[in-house]
Amino acid sequence: VTQLHRYILTCHGKLLGLDSEKVPANNAVSQNAEALAKAWSEYNNPRAVIMTVVQAEERNMYDQHFLSAVLRDKHGITIVRKTMAEVDQEGEILPDGTLSVNGQAVAVIYFRAGYTPVDYPSESEWRARLLMEQSSAVKCPSISYHLVGTKKIQQELAKPGVLERFLENKDDIAKMRECFAGLWSLDDSDIVKKAIERPELFVMKPQREGGGNNIYGDAVRDTLIKLQKTGSQEDAAYILMQRIFPNISAAVLMRNGGCHKDHAISELGIFGTYLRNKDRVVMNNQSGYLMRTKISSSDEGGVAAGFAVIDSVYLT
């Protein structure tokens, strides 16, 4: 998308009053491929493959194939695609810890599935996950990194004194805290009371990925009251987060071949690649970005879920 926008501005920039050079290059695909290739190299088995774990009815495959093409063409690495059920059927751990799937040694497991409950419809998928985790293959992400992405960990990191366990520089800690939104457990009765009184100021978030799972507006009040009445432990599945109100800008959006103008908000995500072999950090890099833009009236923001579009940054 970044290349597309740069190309359009190269052709029509003068007419639009925009400069293609102000759209920064975004090398996310090549940099992510380089990180996976580095992990494959660290595994030190030239006959091994990288295995991409995918959903059975995969709709989100185009960036996956793009990455595979770069790994194959630039790094000469073979990539196989398997569902978790196929890993259960075809996989085994050899005596030395190697994961073998359909007779091929796997150096790196790249998870593009396994983040949502629907990815585990039977015991077969859980067996596959356990098999992969017990093997010596490099996991992307590791199970600990996967869990760090949950909202509960974000809430814990926002507590006073916790960042000090991981960072020493007080200025760095202060800068990081400035970026935090408020995050609270539902054990905090004062915050729950405020959220029931002013639900528009909060978002309820479960431990989920991929959009479509958060609770907004009056539904926050309704859900909190319902949880209070039932007295179950289900409230532990959620956190409350301060709702963010970002700047709104005019945008032209393309969908299904047509364009329309609307008010939009954007979210910038920075990709990072991190590889460690025991105590040795092999790489720790910023690796491109993802810009998502959605109409300002939409609560949700997932691209694959259909709420947002891929966009580019324009530096002014």
Side-chain angles (χ1 to χ4, degrees), residues 210-230:
N213 302 301
N214 296 337
I215 300 169
Y216 298 89
D218 289 340
V220 171
R221 178 193 292 123
D222 297 341
T223 307
L224 288 171
I225 292 171
K226 181 183 172 186
L227 289 171
Q228 283 183 337
K229 284 180 179 176
T230 57

Side-chain angles (χ1 to χ4, degrees), residues 36 48 57 85 92 98 105-106 129 135 140 161 245 274 291 314:
L36 288 167
E57 301 292 333
E92 61 175 333
T98 299
V106 177
R129 184 67 190 253
S135 77
C140 175
F245 297 96
Y274 178 83
M291 188 75 163
Y314 187 87

